[in-house]
Amino acid sequence: MSVGATGSRSSWFQRFLLPGLALKAVIIGGGYATGRELAEYFVPSGPWGGLSAMLLATLIWSVVAAVTFALARKMGAYDYRAFFQRLLGPGWIAFELAYLVFVILILAVFGAAAGAIGAATFGWPELAGSIVLAVSIVAFTAFGTDTVETLFKYASMLIYAVYALFLIFALTSFGGLIAEGFANAPPPSGNWVAGGLTYASYNIVGAVIILPVLRHLTSQRDAVVAGIIAGPLTMLPAILFFVAMMAFYPAIGAETLPSDFLLRQMAVPGFHILFQLMIFAALLESGVGAIHAINERVSGVVEARGRPPLGTGARAAIGGVILVGCMFVAARIGLVDLIASGYRFLAWLFLIVFVAPLLTIGLWCLLRPAPVRMETVP
């Protein structure tokens, strides 16, 4: 991958912002973009409790991302297989299995969300939206890391701009209800700590999914700064969304697609379609991130055996096979059930196989002093 050579030519954007945008790209798809995850993990704690939980998740993402990025650069591990082989030794297969479960679940969620959005916006059969998303993911992942990074950059511009407009229109349409919701809300209530921990835990795996974009880092300082920035970059759209949702608390928590509900309350001509296209972009970059990580993992093994890296056809074939299986799951299980029943299990799984080893073995590897080299004096 010639990481060092790439890093020497890297821009400020590639070193400090791209990792955070990539992390946001992996996390934002599915329930985040539609508001369903926010309703599941943050709305039950009320306005202030939900915001507290989101800030807790942001802090966790920043800390874990900073340690992950620094450790990956120190080990020279820029795909998840190489990273966990160095971190866990023979136990690396535990993460491989956990990641397989994760990919099946999130791609099923993305397929279900794309189907629901296509049906709600354009009146399509639900299968049509899932197919369009799958074909788009295969198209972007087929051409490798440079194409994926370009998608992360421009899709992120669209996403941040649309969420900013979303909040502006929400304040214009029902800002009084938002202010009333926060003014009348008690201090943080409910089990907001558990909500923040759960949401952060199953999503933080994104920090290793995006390892291929770390090739631009030029120092350990770059890695730590990029990791710290990644948390706020990832959570900012969710906070804007959550603030708007509080106009209709607590009823908004029961909506399958909170985004669609709020857009109907705004009634801004044309914005409904723009927002749904933005959600599709969020689903696309999240799916691309998950499939690209697998392609890079396979390509790393192929290159280690002295063969050329994966070509366009092989990358497309791998993505196509994975997506067909996951979209089949999406057609059988509803979006809400997928998020509610599957993600809490993933949270515990990744705490055990990723976060715990990272913050113990990984920190020890980062902080231990470098060995002193003894030189023989002639």
Side-chain angles (χ1 to χ4, degrees):
M1 189 177 285
S2 65
V3 174
T6 303
S8 64
R9 301 190 301 271
S10 298
S11 66
W12 185 89
F13 172 85
Q14 290 171 320
R15 290 159 55 206
F16 298 118
L17 296 183
L18 180 60
L21 296 180
L23 181 62
K24 181 270 304 166
V26 171
I27 290 176
I28 198 171
Y32 178 151
T34 62
R36 185 56 241 167
E37 285 180 352
L38 308 187
E40 181 75 27
Y41 296 107
F42 303 126
V43 170
S45 298
W48 297 115
L51 282 180
S52 299
M54 297 174 97
L55 293 176
L56 174 61
T58 302
L59 176 62
I60 293 171
W61 286 346
S62 289
V63 170
V64 174
V67 176
T68 300
F69 296 172
L71 185 61
R73 186 179 183 279
K74 182 174 183 178
M75 299 188 302
Y78 294 94
D79 67 74
Y80 70 79
R81 179 179 182 271
F83 182 88
F84 282 99
Q85 280 185 323
R86 290 165 175 76
L87 179 64
L88 300 179
W92 71 270
I93 192 66
F95 178 83
E96 185 88 78
L97 296 173
Y99 184 64
L100 177 62
V101 174
F102 173 77
V103 168
I104 291 171
L105 179 59
I106 65 165
L107 291 179
V109 169
F110 297 167
I117 290 168
T121 306
F122 304 109
W124 294 348
E126 291 203 358
L127 184 59
S130 299
I131 291 174
V132 170
L133 178 65
V135 171
S136 301
I137 291 172
V138 170
F140 276 96
T141 54
F143 294 99
T145 300
D146 289 339
T147 301
V148 170
E149 290 180 358
T150 301
L151 172 67
F152 289 166
K153 178 180 179 179
Y154 290 105
S156 295
M157 292 180 183
L158 171 66
I159 288 166
Y160 287 121
V162 172
Y163 270 113
L165 285 173
F166 183 80
L167 181 61
I168 291 171
F169 290 143
L171 292 173
T172 303
S173 301
F174 41 79
L177 293 176
I178 295 174
E180 184 180 330
F182 279 96
N184 295 334
S189 59
N191 200 356
W192 65 268
V193 174
L197 287 174
T198 302
Y199 190 67
S201 298
Y202 76 76
N203 277 304
I204 194 52
V205 67
V208 287
I209 294 175
I210 65 164
L211 291 180
V213 309
L214 301 186
R215 60 189 180 139
H216 301 291
L217 300 178
T218 60
S219 66
Q220 290 299 81
R221 174 182 171 273
D222 283 3
V224 173
V225 172
I228 292 172
I229 292 173
L233 277 178
T234 301
M235 188 60 83
L236 178 60
I239 291 175
L240 299 179
F241 199 156
F242 180 80
V243 169
M245 290 172 68
M246 290 302 96
F248 303 97
Y249 171 78
I252 191 76
E255 292 290 330
T256 300
L257 290 175
S259 59
D260 198 55
F261 174 82
L262 292 177
L263 289 167
R264 290 198 303 271
Q265 311 310 310
M266 294 176 191
V268 178
F271 186 64
H272 189 282
I273 294 177
L274 177 62
F275 191 89
Q276 301 293 38
L277 290 175
M278 180 278 294
I279 293 180
F280 182 85
L283 296 170
L284 174 61
E285 62 175 6
S286 294
V288 164
I291 297 297
H292 182 61
I294 295 175
N295 279 336
E296 289 298 289
R297 175 254 191 270
V298 175
S299 188
V301 173
V302 170
E303 291 180 67
R305 295 176 179 175
R307 299 175 183 174
L310 290 183
T312 301
R315 289 175 180 271
I318 292 171
V321 169
I322 294 170
L323 286 163
V324 167
C326 293
M327 296 308 176
F328 176 80
V329 175
R332 297 292 184 271
I333 306 174
L335 179 61
V336 176
D337 291 338
L338 279 168
I339 292 171
S341 63
Y343 281 3
R344 284 187 172 86
F345 167 73
L346 280 177
W348 284 105
L349 203 57
F350 287 127
L351 279 173
I352 294 169
V353 302
F354 171 38
V355 178
L358 176 75
L359 298 182
T360 51
I361 301 170
L363 269 179
W364 177 77
C365 291
L366 278 174
L367 299 177
R368 67 179 176 177
V372 178
R373 293 183 178 180
M374 303 298 294
E375 297 183 2
T376 303
V377 180

